[in-house]
Amino acid sequence: MPGLLALAVLLLVLIAAPYVLYPVFVMKVLCFALFACAFNLLIGFAGLLSFGHAAFFGGAAYITAHTVKVWGLPPELGILLGTAFSATLGLAFGALAIRRQGIYFAMITLALSQMVFFMALQLKFTGGEDGIQAVPRGHLFGVIDLSQPMAMYYTVLAVFLFGFVVIWRTVHSPFGQVLKAIRENEPRAISLGYRTDHYKLMAFVLSAALAGLAGGTKAIVFQLATLTDVQWQMSGAVVLMTLLGGIGTLFGPVVGAALVVTLENYLAASNLPVPVVIGVIFVACVLLFRRGIVGEIAARLGGKRP
């Protein structure tokens, strides 16, 4: 019940947000919030730390941008193709990475992600260091003109809510309960007859697909795809967002993403070094909120993880 109440409040806030804040800023928050939620599905509920999620986020951004700009596909098909690409890439990455655990798993995902980065740098269709620019937003389903800011905003909101509901349903399904069992004690889950590698691979693919959904949507919103989307710093940023908000919570990554994007946006106009400021805030949150902001609040209120 508290979770549903929190979701209702979040929905009301997001519906009213573009009338108070700059719509493009809120759209950026929503894209990164979905990205962080997708990453949290893997680390928070399956216990798998990936340092390569930028490959799925940025890869989908490139595929979406290319198919919409060069092939002339409508935005919904471009985003679907980007998501499908990330899911396929996640299947390939996961099949290799889940053979290892812990830091070895993380390093394999990082190495594979760097391969995608260098391919994005060298392949002709990606535009190299220039990326793919001037991507047309087009018309959603041939009807809704996404060049209008409010139409674009509510489309992004719908995409975010769809991804969030998929994650919520996954976490509260029998599949999600098995993932939690694997996270807590994998040998015991194996002894109960669960094929844990299959469950971990399915979680990895789902996480990759949702990260790709976020990346493809971001490419339409900002009308470009660049190397920034696939570099290792993007993987580090999503780890930071999830840690700040709270690993293993549904709303934590949303809060963490909103905090990081807000800091980057408003500190950019100042003379302060943005990475240093965010680093200091991160250290302070780790010391004061060991479970993350949302996780610590939930623990102090004596409730379950929201």
Side-chain angles (χ1 to χ4, degrees):
M1 199 66 176
L4 292 176
L5 179 60
L7 181 60
V9 171
L10 176 65
L11 181 59
L12 290 175
V13 170
L14 291 176
I15 290 174
Y19 297 100
V20 180
L21 301 170
Y22 187 42
V24 174
F25 165 72
V26 187
M27 284 189 276
K28 183 177 181 180
V29 171
L30 290 175
C31 289
F32 279 102
L34 179 56
F35 184 28
C37 287
F39 175 77
N40 182 56
L41 175 64
L42 192 64
I43 186 175
F45 297 98
L48 298 173
L49 173 59
S50 168
F51 281 144
H53 259 52
F56 313 128
F57 183 79
Y62 273 111
I63 296 299
T64 299
H66 179 77
T67 54
V68 171
K69 180 179 180 179
V70 180
W71 294 359
L73 295 182
E76 66 274 10
L77 284 183
I79 293 173
L80 283 175
L81 284 176
T83 303
F85 170 80
S86 292
T88 305
L89 194 64
L91 180 62
F93 280 20
L96 292 172
I98 62 171
R99 300 172 185 270
R100 296 292 180 266
Q101 295 180 344
I103 189 63
Y104 302 105
F105 174 89
M107 290 299 101
I108 289 173
T109 57
L110 176 60
L112 293 172
S113 177
Q114 285 300 100
M115 291 174 60
V116 174
F117 170 80
F118 286 114
M119 289 177 66
L121 182 62
Q122 299 295 331
L123 291 177
K124 188 174 181 180
F125 86 92
T126 62
E129 294 183 354
D130 295 328
I132 303 175
Q133 303 180 25
V135 179
R137 288 183 175 177
H139 289 71
L140 187 68
F141 303 116
V143 177
I144 304 173
D145 184 7
L146 296 184
S147 64
Q148 301 298 318
M150 298 306 286
M152 185 75 249
Y153 173 80
Y154 286 110
T155 300
V156 175
L157 177 58
V159 170
F160 167 77
L161 290 174
F162 169 78
F164 189 86
V165 169
V166 168
I167 293 172
W168 179 86
R169 186 68 188 91
T170 300
V171 169
H172 291 89
S173 68
F175 172 75
Q177 300 305 312
V178 175
L179 288 182
K180 293 176 185 177
I182 294 172
R183 177 193 66 191
E184 297 298 331
N185 195 325
E186 185 172 354
R188 181 172 292 181
I190 294 173
S191 70
L192 291 174
Y194 292 109
R195 304 178 70 178
T196 57
D197 282 353
H198 287 191
Y199 281 91
K200 290 192 290 185
L201 181 58
M202 287 189 286
F204 196 95
V205 172
L206 180 57
S207 177
L210 291 171
L213 179 61
T217 304
K218 179 180 175 290
I220 297 297
V221 170
F222 291 96
Q223 300 181 268
L224 81 164
T226 65
L227 290 174
T228 304
D229 298 329
V230 291
Q231 64 186 9
W232 65 267
Q233 287 92 335
M234 183 64 73
S235 295
V238 75
V239 173
L240 175 64
M241 293 173 188
T242 308
L243 287 173
L244 283 176
I247 291 177
T249 65
L250 287 173
F251 294 99
V254 179
V255 174
L259 178 60
V260 172
V261 172
T262 301
L263 288 172
E264 289 178 344
N265 185 71
Y266 288 100
L267 290 177
S270 68
N271 294 322
L272 296 173
V274 178
V276 174
V277 174
I278 293 178
V280 170
I281 293 174
F282 173 67
V283 171
C285 286
V286 168
L287 294 175
L288 297 175
F289 307 103
R290 299 183 68 85
R291 302 177 184 87
I293 296 173
V294 173
E296 195 68 34
I297 292 173
R300 295 190 179 187
L301 291 176
K304 297 180 180 179
R305 289 183 175 184

